[in-house]
Amino acid sequence: MTETTDELVDYCKTQAGLLSGRAETIGTEADELLDEIDEDIETLRERLEETPEDVGDIETEGESLEEKQAIVEAKRARMSAFQDLAADYLDLAEDITDTEPETALARIVDFESERDAPAYFDERTTILETVAEES
C-alpha cells in the first residue's frame, strides 16, 4: 500500500460516515419496531377490555412483545457500537493528520485489529483486511 496520510485520513472519515449511516438505519429499524410494539400493546389492551377471559392468549402475545423488546434492545446496543466506532475513527483521523504515511497506516491497522473493525463492514474491505491479504 502506498497511500498518503491525507488518503488515510479520508479513509478514516469515510469509515466513520459509513458507520454513522448504518447506525442511523439501525435506529430507524428500532423505532419502527417500537411503534409496532406500541400498536400491539394497544390492541392487547382493547382485547382484554372486551374479553377478559382471553388471558391465556394475551399472555402468549405478551411473550411475543417481550421478544420484540429484546430485539429493540439488541438493535440499540448495536447502534451504540456503530456510533462509538464511528467516533473513534474520527478521533483517529485527527490523530494521524500530521504523521508519516507508514505510521498512519500502522495506527489504522492496530486500531482496526483492536476493535475488530472488519466485523462492522459487510460490503467493504478494511485496511486491516487488505494488509492481511498482502502479507
Side-chain angles (χ1 to χ4, degrees):
M1 297 186 82
T2 57
E3 278 76 14
T4 66
T5 298
D6 287 343
E7 290 172 323
L8 294 170
V9 167
D10 287 344
Y11 165 82
C12 290
K13 290 178 179 179
T14 298
Q15 295 294 82
L18 292 170
L19 290 164
S20 294
R22 185 67 182 122
E24 188 175 314
T25 300
I26 294 168
T28 300
E29 292 169 356
D31 289 344
E32 289 171 356
L33 194 51
L34 283 172
D35 290 344
E36 186 179 315
I37 289 169
D38 288 343
E39 290 171 14
D40 290 349
I41 289 171
E42 185 58 34
T43 300
L44 286 175
R45 280 188 186 132
E46 290 171 4
R47 283 185 48 207
L48 190 56
E49 287 174 5
E50 293 171 6
T51 54
E53 62 276 357
D54 286 347
V55 172
D57 291 340
I58 292 173
E59 284 177 357
T60 301
E61 291 181 35
E63 291 171 6
S64 173
L65 288 174
E66 288 176 7
E67 290 172 10
K68 287 181 183 180
Q69 183 61 35
I71 293 169
V72 168
E73 290 172 17
K75 284 184 179 287
R76 285 186 173 163
R78 190 163 184 235
M79 181 178 71
S80 179
F82 274 78
Q83 290 169 330
D84 291 347
L85 186 58
D88 290 345
Y89 262 111
L90 290 177
D91 290 344
L92 179 61
E94 280 185 39
D95 291 345
I96 65 172
T97 298
D98 295 322
T99 62
E100 293 296 318
E102 297 79 21
T103 303
L105 179 61
R107 294 209 35 217
I108 291 171
V109 168
D110 289 343
F111 171 89
E112 290 184 341
S113 176
E114 290 169 3
R115 289 164 178 80
D116 194 25
Y120 291 82
F121 298 97
D122 295 333
E123 299 174 6
R124 182 174 169 93
T125 303
T126 62
I127 286 180
L128 173 64
E129 292 169 310
T130 301
V131 168
E133 289 172 7
E134 291 178 1
S135 298

